[in-house]
Amino acid sequence: MDKSCNDINAQVDRCIAMANELGGRWTANAHHRADVQYFAQIGRRVKTQRGIPMFSPDKDRKYPLIIVQVAEPEPEPEPVAVVVEAPKPVKVVRPTPTEQAHERVAFDDWMNADVANRKKIQDAARHQFINKMYADLLGDMEICKLEGWDVLEYPRMLRDAINRIFPKPKQLTIQFA
């Protein structure tokens, strides 16, 4: 059956009116109205199937349904059975973190370096760790903002952990008898 742009628009309007009348899943939204955009998309697909241009000058011209015949794919040839031996698993030996550290810098090399160079290396490692801690803190604070949690909870936990390691010296009090 040939249809024009006006025929399809009228059919979409009828579907919207029927959806508003029936209710149910068609009006399950905040406004309790049919989703007009959903029905408009269906109407646009119907117009596309018929080759109706989007800005048609003649809205009453009837267009036939365009059916595209898709050729069936050729069946794939049946696979030939090939026996392949499974490769034997190779045992991967991973060094422990201590062994990795010993491979990177030998203790003798470290001790033979001059004091200023060792201090520079240690300071660079400390600053690198501090930068990682900053990034970790900022990431945790962003998550807390998104979730609505206390933003300073993690920094306070870190402070308490450091205070446990280095407690404040207790002030001596003088007892009078």
Side-chain angles (χ1 to χ4, degrees), residues 14-39:
R14 283 193 307 274
C15 290
I16 291 170
M18 187 170 40
N20 281 325
E21 185 179 312
L22 293 175
R25 78 173 223 180
W26 303 107
T27 59
N29 56 36
H31 301 290
H32 302 293
R33 292 185 300 218
D35 186 5
V36 176
Q37 186 176 11
Y38 174 74
F39 289 102

